[in-house]
Amino acid sequence: ENNVIIHFTKNLPKNVEAAFKAVVDAKQRYRTECNHTATHLLHQALREVLGTHVEQKGSAVHSKYLRFDFSHFSKLTVDELRDVENFVNARIDGKLPLEEKRNIPMDEAIAQGAMALFGEKYGDTVRAIRFGQSIELCGGTHVKNTADIWHFKITSESAVA
């Protein structure tokens, strides 16, 4: 937030002025990486199956699940849901490696096909994440290879309006 890294903790040290060590829970971080990477593949799948008018409007990524908010004019059919799942799982089975470019000029990333989420604020230089044909500007945590995700399943779909 505001170019400051923020960490959340359940308990503060007794003396916040003392030196202490913050440790990331590797298991939880790995599950979050899987779900976050899956949001990139899901975004690509929705645009491929439903059309390029689909835009990400938000998401919630946790170690146990992900939620992906997007714009579309109707509820997805059973066939569309199946096609989206199959698309994502094909990318997982494809064992696509993470390609990451840090601190590249925004114009260069967009020229290479990176999707920028409108409403998001980006600096002059950005981080571009690629898994196969999915290229997005992103500061999140990702798996090294889509095979790490194992499997993708849509458990529900709902409309907010």
Side-chain angles (χ1 to χ4, degrees):
E1 185 172 304
N2 297 321
N3 291 322
V4 175
I5 297 171
I6 298 173
H7 296 280
F8 294 94
T9 182
K10 291 179 182 175
N11 301 305
L12 287 173
K14 289 181 182 180
N15 179 2
V16 294
E17 300 297 322
F20 59 96
K21 183 178 180 180
V23 179
V24 174
D25 181 328
K27 188 175 180 182
Q28 186 163 329
R29 171 78 173 232
Y30 174 73
R31 291 190 304 243
T32 302
E33 288 173 349
C34 290
N35 284 335
H36 184 84
T37 301
T39 65
H40 288 261
L41 302 177
L42 176 57
H43 192 195
Q44 181 189 15
L46 290 166
R47 291 175 59 86
E48 182 73 24
V49 172
L50 303 176
T52 56
H53 66 280
V54 171
E55 291 182 357
Q56 180 177 353
K57 296 297 183 182
S59 67
V61 178
H62 300 277
S63 60
K64 295 183 180 179
Y65 69 92
L66 69 88
R67 187 194 76 234
F68 190 85
D69 306 325
F70 63 98
S71 60
H72 185 54
F73 50 81
S74 66
K75 183 171 177 59
L76 275 66
T77 67
V78 171
D79 288 341
E80 289 169 334
L81 286 169
R82 183 198 64 237
D83 291 347
V84 167
E85 278 186 359
N86 289 343
F87 186 98
V88 173
N89 283 310
R91 271 67 202 159
I92 293 168
D93 293 343
K95 301 177 182 175
L96 304 173
L98 166 65
E99 296 176 42
E100 175 184 23
K101 293 188 177 176
R102 291 179 179 251
N103 299 315
I104 64 170
M106 172 75 154
D107 295 343
E108 182 180 330
I110 298 299
Q112 292 176 7
M115 288 190 60
L117 301 179
F118 296 100
E120 292 284 326
K121 294 179 183 177
Y122 300 102
D124 294 335
T125 60
V126 294
R127 178 176 176 235
I129 299 298
R130 175 193 287 260
F131 287 97
Q133 297 303 309
S134 170
I135 313 168
E136 293 190 34
L137 304 182
C138 185
T141 184
H142 301 86
V143 295
K144 301 290 184 235
N145 189 292
T146 58
D148 295 337
I149 298 171
W150 182 66
H151 189 73
F152 176 81
K153 178 73 178 158
I154 297 172
T155 58
S156 68
E157 179 208 5
S158 62
V160 293

